[in-house]
């Protein structure tokens, strides 16, 4: 019963949030010029936003959530989402947490969540702390790609390494289903999908101010630049 109440409270917290809690992305052309801005859908009918979840981030790991909203009148298929930092040497220095490191990070977050729950005097307080984590993870998150693979799977790669090898990566075997880079996903008309990603940052002196997402939607290549606030 306690778990049921806990889940109910968590769902209330999540459902009260707006579709886009982060900053809206801007669609750009190949030359970098703005194609569509603000809340205007891309040619593929998408409105994309991104936000940093501070509750699940620290100086070295940055947990980000991206919302893909389908403003078209039909279901769309999105595939091969790839993040790129266009400033300085960030693509060489920032890694996308994956494989064993992602599993270790997840286990540490769950342990921290349990510790905080024990220190809270009310159920609402515990749910508020864990809400962000429960909104994107489920009990079978890791089962969907295999515990064995995560235990000894692909090591984390820099953004640049992932970009260069993006066509060869078996995304579904490297990342959980809800991950930004997990592979193809569909969005019904008028609805949205949320995807997450964890970046490992070595330097605290300089963070990129924007992140570019490259992807395909119904066979059309698009690029969206999302402003970042660390």
């Amino acid at each position: 019963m306690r778990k049921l109440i806990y889940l109910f409270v968590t769902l209330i917290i999540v459902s009260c949030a707006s579709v886009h809690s982060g900053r809206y992305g801007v669609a750009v052309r190949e030359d970098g010029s703005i194609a569509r801005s603000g809340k205007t859908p891309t040619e593929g009918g998408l409105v994309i936003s991104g936000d940093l979840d501070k509750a699940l981030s620290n100086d070295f790991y940055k947990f980000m959530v991206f919302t893909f909203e389908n403003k078209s009148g039909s279901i769309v298929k999105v595939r091969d989402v790839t993040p790129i930092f266009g400033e300085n040497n960030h693509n060489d220095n920032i890694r996308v947490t994956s494989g064993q490191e992602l599993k270790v990070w997840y286990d540490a977050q769950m342990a921290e969540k349990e510790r905080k729950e024990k220190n809270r005097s009310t159920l609402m307080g515990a749910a508020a702390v864990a809400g962000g984590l429960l909104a994107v993870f489920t009990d079978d998150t890791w089962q969907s790609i295999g515990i064995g693979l995560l235990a000894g799977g692909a090591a984390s790669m820099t953004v640049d390494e992932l970009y260069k090898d993006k066509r060869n990566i078996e995304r579904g075997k490297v990342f959980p289903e809800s991950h930004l880079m997990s592979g193809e996903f569909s969005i019904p008309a008028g609805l949205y999908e949320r995807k997450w990603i964890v970046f490992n940052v070595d330097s605290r002196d300089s963070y990129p101010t924007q992140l570019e997402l490259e992807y395909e939607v119904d066979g059309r290549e698009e690029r969206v630049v999302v402003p970042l606030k660390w």
Side-chain angles (χ1 to χ4, degrees), residues 106-119:
Y106 170 78
D107 288 342
Q109 288 291 346
M110 295 302 292
E112 178 67 6
K113 177 181 74 69
E114 292 177 2
R115 184 189 67 79
K116 289 181 178 180
E117 286 178 11
K118 293 179 181 179
N119 293 333

Side-chain angles (χ1 to χ4, degrees), residues 27-35 212 223:
V28 296
R29 303 182 181 90
E30 289 189 10
D31 62 1
S33 60
I34 296 177
E212 180 178 312
R223 297 165 60 200

Side-chain angles (χ1 to χ4, degrees), residues 10-122:
T10 302
L11 289 174
I12 291 177
I13 294 172
V14 174
S15 63
C16 289
S18 61
V19 173
H20 294 275
S21 59
R23 296 186 173 191
Y24 287 98
V26 176
V28 296
R29 303 182 181 90
E30 289 189 10
D31 62 1
S33 60
I34 296 177
R36 299 171 188 267
S37 60
K39 301 178 182 180
T40 305
T42 66
E43 290 186 8
L46 297 178
V47 174
I48 300 174
S49 63
D51 195 18
L52 174 74
D53 190 325
K54 294 183 178 179
L56 298 176
S57 303
N58 57 29
D59 288 341
F60 304 101
Y61 289 96
K62 305 298 182 181
F63 183 91
M64 302 199 70
V65 179
F66 291 89
T67 301
F68 293 73
E69 184 179 11
N70 180 10
K71 288 286 191 177
S72 74
S74 59
I75 189 171
V76 298
K77 292 184 178 181
V78 182
R79 59 173 298 175
D80 295 341
V81 180
T82 305
I84 308 170
F85 296 106
E87 306 164 290
N88 301 324
N89 297 318
H90 293 306
N91 289 323
D92 296 324
N93 299 326
I94 297 178
R95 295 187 301 160
V96 176
T97 308
S98 60
Q100 170 66 10
E101 187 174 352
L102 182 58
K103 177 65 164 58
V104 171
W105 174 88
Y106 170 78
D107 288 342
Q109 288 291 346
M110 295 302 292
E112 178 67 6
K113 177 181 74 69
E114 292 177 2
R115 184 189 67 79
K116 289 181 178 180
E117 286 178 11
K118 293 179 181 179
N119 293 333
R120 296 287 175 172
S121 59
T122 65

Side-chain angles (χ1 to χ4, degrees), residues 123-175:
L123 177 62
M124 180 63 76
V129 171
L133 187 62
L134 293 179
V136 292
F137 287 118
T138 59
D139 290 339
D140 61 352
T141 294
W142 304 112
Q143 294 178 8
S144 65
I145 59 172
I147 297 297
L149 179 65
L150 284 172
S156 296
M157 302 172 69
T158 66
V159 173
D160 185 59
E161 289 171 336
L162 279 171
Y163 182 76
K164 291 178 179 178
D165 203 35
K166 63 180 180 180
R167 298 298 182 186
N168 298 321
I169 296 174
E170 294 185 73
R171 294 170 179 250
K173 294 183 178 181
V174 177
F175 300 107

